[in-house]
Amino acid sequence: TQLLEQSPQFLSIQEGENLTVYCNSSSVFSSLQWYRQEPGEGPVLLVTVVTGGEVKKLKRLTFQFGDARKDSSLHITAAQPGDTGLYLCAGARGSQGNLIFGKGTKLSVKP
Amino acid sequence: GAGVSQSPSNKVTEKGKDVELRCDPISGHTALYWYRQSLGQGLEFLIYFQGNSAPDKSGLPSDRFSAERTGGSVSTLTIQRTQQEDSAVYLCASSPDQGGRGYTFGSGTRLTVV
């Protein structure tokens, strides 16, 4: 059983389109993070959300944490080829030290 | 160092041999984590070190896997009697605390067991 479900698994779009990636769980998380990973590299942290209902913006990326702190979304506006990569969500639960990762959404943005 | 350093970046080994993977975390980061990433499987937690506390080994898949962290800094992940199913990218990460504010990952070690 996957604790964090990400959808879609794969997404291929044209440059300039908008997209939303979802991260869902039946569990409550104390914080949730989004990472982007490129081939041959480790994941790189994009954002951490902590408060239910929180919205954070990073240039063309908008992150939202669900009110109940069980889910999150990542919205990209006017996608560019440089946004191509694997997007991973990861949740922290209380005092548990390690993060739980979703399987990721592989995004391809074609010029 | 400026980032998390892992070595080697690639390792090909024969089935049944032992391998050691090294991780050098960011200086001052008290927490260190090992994850395994297989194709289509996401990141699988292996082991977590926090300061001088006993490590959380709950993610190690079998007793062939072990890890240590010397002097609160460098960590070594050892896989004994490697099997083909051990082939994966092994990622190390560190964080300044328990990870709630995010990890810094190394580039990983790609292990291939032939």
Side-chain angles (χ1 to χ4, degrees), chain A residues 91-93 96-100, chain B residues 33 35 45 48 56 58 98 103:
Chain A
R93 288 189 297 179
Q96 186 174 353
N98 60 293
L99 292 175
I100 297 165
Chain B
Y33 313 81
Y35 282 79
F45 166 70
Y48 156 54
D56 176 355
S58 60
Q98 283 188 325
Y103 295 174

Side-chain angles (χ1 to χ4, degrees), chain A residues 65-76:
Chain A
F65 201 12
D67 291 341
R69 290 185 289 131
K70 292 183 180 181
D71 52 82
S72 181
S73 64
L74 157 60
H75 182 78
I76 301 179

Side-chain angles (χ1 to χ4, degrees), chain A residues 4-66:
Chain A
L4 273 171
E5 298 282 350
Q6 284 191 243
S7 61
Q9 275 189 282
F10 302 95
L11 193 53
S12 182
I13 61 172
Q14 293 296 128
E15 182 176 0
E17 292 182 10
N18 301 332
L19 67 114
T20 302
V21 173
Y22 299 93
C23 177
N24 295 301
S25 177
S26 57
S27 297
V28 175
F29 293 96
S30 55
S31 68
L32 200 137
Q33 300 162 20
W34 285 90
Y35 293 79
R36 186 166 76 99
Q37 184 178 23
E38 297 190 42
E41 299 295 327
V44 174
L45 179 67
L46 297 174
V47 77
T48 300
V49 285
V50 177
T51 307
E54 183 176 4
V55 176
K56 280 192 173 179
K57 294 195 174 188
L58 187 67
K59 296 183 181 177
R60 293 175 294 100
L61 277 60
T62 302
F63 304 85
Q64 184 161 10
F65 201 12

